Amino acid sequence: MQPSSKVHLYDFEVASNDAVGEKVYRLVMRSPELASELRPGQFMNVAVPGDASHIVRLPFSFASTDPEAGTVELIYAVVGEGTRRLSEMPAGSTSTVVGPCGNGWDVKPGGRALAVAGGVGAPPVIAAARALAEAGREVDVVLGAQTKSRLWGEDDARALGAGEVVVTTDDGSYGMRGFTTQAMEALLARHEYDLVVTCGPAVMMAGVARLAEGAGVACQASLERMMTCGFGACSTCNVAMRAGGYKSCCMDGPVFDASEVAW
Ligand SMILES: Cc1cc2nc3c(=O)[nH]c(=O)nc-3n(C[C@H](O)[C@H](O)[C@H](O)COP(=O)(O)OP(=O)(O)OC[C@H]3O[C@@H](n4cnc5c(N)ncnc54)[C@H](O)[C@@H]3O)c2cc1C
Ligand code: FES
């Protein structure tokens, strides 16, 4: 996976922070140096001001960067106290962010690639799909959500113009009714791939990894773990490996070769 560049503490200012779905928000932060340092698949640790009892930074991937504008785009779901307070940060408010953290996607030119995202796993998958398309690959994208109001990423995936885009919802409210893995099976039957990239709920990624392995296709997965320190000191974010032992999601990941993970 792509090695991490040097991690720094940066100031950021919220350029915009708006709801784009049910409990799903899009935050654009202005932080010029971070915007030029981040590579697809890396993450950042954001300090959300407002409550001294919550001092732990929150880890987030990013969907895109605009180094010229000096901005970074985050898509996040409100799931608890920290993300609720993040959703209340107005444009113009400021805080700090640590990044770029971890190792991102290994993007190389090659054949057709398949990107599979579930829920708010979509931001790093869209970033990967964009990088793969820029490397000259055809890229098909599968985006899954529980329901239409929680779906993000379809416009960004279509804007790539690099291959097929398939949307699934668990409840059938939009796109194909069912899971991303069902859409993936159909695509595997129609196309020859040499790479799968995925991020989403653990159970979905395990299924994607299994299908990719069965089809003999390399698979990279961006894992999510609870994180306390974010720099390899606490073991909160351990990932069990197939060969035995553990790696840390914050330092060795978050992107792993899926065949090395003990799903
Ligand atoms: C590398 C990485 C990248 C991430 N990128 C994104 C992103 O792009 N968009 C996004 O919406 N979220 C992302 N997350 C998850 C995000 O960090 C958590 O949702 C957030 O920290 C929750 O904080 P909270 O205080 O609101 O919730 P808490 O009160 O801390 O927790 C609320 C619920 O969410 C669960 N939870 C909290 N943190 C995590 C986690 N890291 N992994 C799995 N479950 C968790 C808790 O178990 C609990 O059930 C990412 C996590 C990691 C590790
Ligand atoms: S979060 Fe502490 S080791 Fe990864």
Side-chain angles (χ1 to χ4, degrees):
M1 305 303 123
Q2 287 293 317
S4 177
S5 40
K6 214 162 179 211
V7 179
H8 288 288
L9 176 72
Y10 296 104
D11 294 323
F12 75 86
E13 180 184 339
V14 176
S16 63
N17 190 13
D18 304 302
V20 291
E22 189 191 336
K23 293 193 175 176
V24 182
Y25 286 72
R26 174 178 181 269
L27 186 150
V28 178
M29 59 165 64
R30 200 169 290 114
S31 188
E33 284 178 86
L34 181 66
S36 60
E37 287 290 322
L38 278 167
R39 297 292 168 263
Q42 290 187 303
F43 69 101
M44 67 207 91
N45 277 307
V46 178
V48 184
D51 183 349
S53 67
H54 283 79
I55 51 162
V56 177
R57 289 172 180 272
L58 306 188
F60 292 103
S61 305
F62 65 94
S64 69
T65 57
D66 184 340
E68 273 181 29
T71 55
V72 180
E73 177 192 28
L74 275 63
I75 306 294
Y76 64 96
V78 172
V79 295
E81 177 60 15
T83 43
R84 186 191 62 74
R85 282 188 287 114
L86 184 65
S87 73
E88 291 172 353
M89 285 185 78
S93 57
T94 57
S95 185
T96 61
V97 54
V98 173
C101 300
N103 297 304
W105 306 105
D106 191 3
V107 176
K108 292 192 180 80
R112 197 175 185 115
L114 177 59
V116 186
V120 283
V125 169
I126 291 293
R130 190 178 294 115
L132 290 164
E134 284 168 5
R137 286 174 178 259
E138 279 185 290
V139 191
D140 298 327
V141 181
V142 179
L143 292 170
Q146 290 167 334
T147 189
K148 185 183 179 191
S149 61
R150 294 186 63 83
L151 178 77
W152 176 86
E154 185 182 3
D155 293 347
D156 292 60
R158 295 204 185 281
L160 300 176
E164 289 186 53
V165 177
V166 183
V167 175
T168 68
T169 49
D170 300 359
D171 63 2
S173 53
Y174 187 62
M176 183 185 134
R177 183 193 201 100
F179 298 129
T180 52
T181 41
Q182 293 166 274
M184 179 179 172
E185 279 184 290
L187 285 165
L188 282 171
R190 283 212 304 282
H191 300 294
E192 187 111 341
Y193 296 102
D194 68 2
L195 177 65
V196 173
V197 294
T198 187
C199 183
V203 63
M204 183 206 88
M205 286 195 284
V208 169
R210 209 167 28 246
L211 286 175
E213 191 162 290
V217 184
C219 181
Q220 299 176 29
S222 179
L223 270 54
E224 258 195 34
R225 287 290 184 277
M226 299 294 287
M227 287 187 183
T228 304
C229 72
F231 52 83
C234 73
S235 299
T236 318
C237 69
N238 275 352
V239 175
M241 305 308 287
R242 228 183 208 180
Y246 295 90
K247 287 193 174 177
S248 77
C249 189
C250 66
M251 298 298 283
D252 301 310
V255 177
F256 289 87
D257 179 335
S259 69
E260 294 178 2
V261 174
W263 294 100

